[in-house]
Amino acid sequence: MSLKSRLAAGETLCTAWSGVPDALTVELVAQQGFDCVTLDMQHGGHHEDSVLRGLAPVLAAGKPSLVRIPVGRFDMASRALDFGAEAVIAPMVNSVEDARQFAAAMKYPPVGARSWGPTYAFPRHGQGSQQDWLRKSNERTLAFAMIETRAALDVLDGILATPGIDGIFLGPSDFSIAWTKGGTVDSTHEDMMETIADVAARAHAAGKYAAIFVVDPAVAGRVVKMGYQLLAMGSEHALIALGASVLLADVKKSIGNRQ
Ligand code: 3PY
Ligand code: MG
C-alpha cells in the first residue's frame, strides 16, 4: 500500500530516518519494523547517488520511501520522485513562495511544473501505462513542507492553502530554537507544545497531513493525540547507540549476577 493510501486510511506511521549514505545500511534499516524509511539529505549524509541507490532496498522491503532534501533544493525534490520516492520533505519552508516553488517541483501540470522523466520511478513501481503514471502521480506523491521557524508559523495558513502541498512536517528542534530565540534546543520544550498542537489542528482543518520528528519516544503518544500521523525517528546513530547501550547493560547485568 502506498504511503498516501495508508495516511488517508487514518493509520499512524513510523518512519526510520537514514543518514548513512550507503544502500547496505539503508537495507538494514528497511528490514526493521518501521512502516517506511526516510533518506536525509539535509543533515544526514545522503546525496543524489546514495538516494538513487538507497531507494532500491526500501522498495525491495515493500515499504514506502521518503527523502528530505537540503534547504531550497527543490530541483532535488523532482529527482527524488524520479528515483522512486513517494514523498519529499522540504526543510525550512518559511514563506508561501517557498511552498509554491516546492509544490511546483513536486507536481506535474496543471498543479505544478514538474518535468517528465520517471526513468527509475516508473520501472521501480512498474505497473500500468505511462498515461496512468502521469494521471496518478500528483495524487500518489506527497509534499511535506517543514514548519520550524516563526516565519513559517506566521504564514502557516498560506502554506497549507498552497495547491500541491499535501502536509506539514514539524521540526521540533529548530522550532524550539526559533521559539526561544536561540535560547535552547529542546524538542519537547513545554512552552511550545500548545503551538505544536495548534499547527496539527490547522493542518487537519485545511485537509492536510501532519508529520513530526520524534526525538524522545516518550512524547510519541502525546503528539499522536495532537493529530500527528507520521512520526519520524531513529537515525542509524541513534539506533546503534540505543542498541549498544541495551546490549551492554544486559551483558553487564548478567556478569554482575554470575554468582
Ligand atoms: C528539527 O527538529 O528541526 C528537524 O529538522 C527534525 O528532523
Ligand atoms: Mg530542522
Side-chain angles (χ1 to χ4, degrees):
M1 255 169 100
S2 70
L3 180 64
K4 167 71 187 280
S5 54
R6 292 185 69 177
L7 289 174
E11 279 191 64
T12 299
L13 301 177
C14 295
T15 179
W17 196 262
S18 169
V20 177
D22 190 309
L24 295 177
T25 320
V26 177
E27 182 181 1
L28 279 177
V29 170
Q31 287 163 350
Q32 308 311 311
F34 301 101
D35 298 299
C36 37
V37 179
T38 302
L39 308 186
D40 183 20
M41 301 178 77
Q42 185 195 12
H43 297 301
H46 279 288
H47 45 79
E48 284 189 43
D49 185 64
S50 71
V51 169
L52 177 56
R53 294 174 199 278
L55 291 175
V58 185
L59 284 156
K63 295 183 178 178
S65 51
L66 304 86
V67 172
R68 178 166 75 170
I69 56 175
V71 175
R73 283 292 309 279
F74 302 126
D75 60 321
M76 191 58 220
S78 297
R79 283 178 73 62
L81 297 181
D82 285 348
F83 294 167
E86 288 185 33
V88 176
I89 301 162
M92 294 284 175
V93 173
N94 290 333
S95 66
V96 174
E97 182 51 28
D98 287 346
R100 277 200 200 109
Q101 285 185 31
F102 178 37
M106 289 291 291
K107 305 293 178 180
Y108 291 118
V111 181
R114 184 180 165 198
S115 168
W116 180 257
T119 311
Y120 285 88
F122 187 63
R124 279 179 165 183
H125 288 277
Q127 301 135 359
S129 69
Q130 295 215 356
Q131 293 304 333
D132 266 357
W133 186 257
L134 172 63
R135 202 165 45 78
K136 292 181 185 157
S137 280
N138 285 357
E139 267 297 303
R140 198 184 55 85
T141 56
L142 295 173
F144 285 98
M146 285 195 77
I147 304 300
E148 42 188 356
T149 64
R150 284 179 179 266
L153 191 60
D154 287 347
V155 294
L156 178 63
D157 291 331
I159 292 171
L160 287 167
T162 303
I165 297 297
D166 300 291
I168 56 88
F169 188 113
L170 200 295
S173 295
D174 275 314
F175 198 80
S176 69
I177 294 172
W179 192 255
T180 62
K181 300 188 168 62
T184 188
V185 55
D186 172 6
S187 65
T188 52
H189 189 59
E190 195 49 50
D191 198 44
M192 69 184 188
M193 293 309 263
E194 200 179 317
T195 302
I196 286 180
D198 187 52
V199 170
R202 284 160 70 186
H204 280 277
K208 309 280 164 110
Y209 299 108
I212 191 167
F213 198 91
V214 168
V215 180
D216 175 2
V219 88
R222 191 169 171 195
V223 297
V224 168
K225 213 165 154 203
M226 291 175 185
Y228 288 94
Q229 230 188 311
L230 176 65
L231 275 45
M233 64 201 70
S235 67
E236 292 93 339
H237 293 73
L239 294 178
I240 290 173
L242 185 62
S245 69
V246 169
L247 175 65
L248 285 170
D250 285 352
V251 167
K252 283 179 182 162
K253 193 168 152 211
S254 176
I255 292 171
N257 291 340
R258 69 189 179 283
Q259 58 279 38

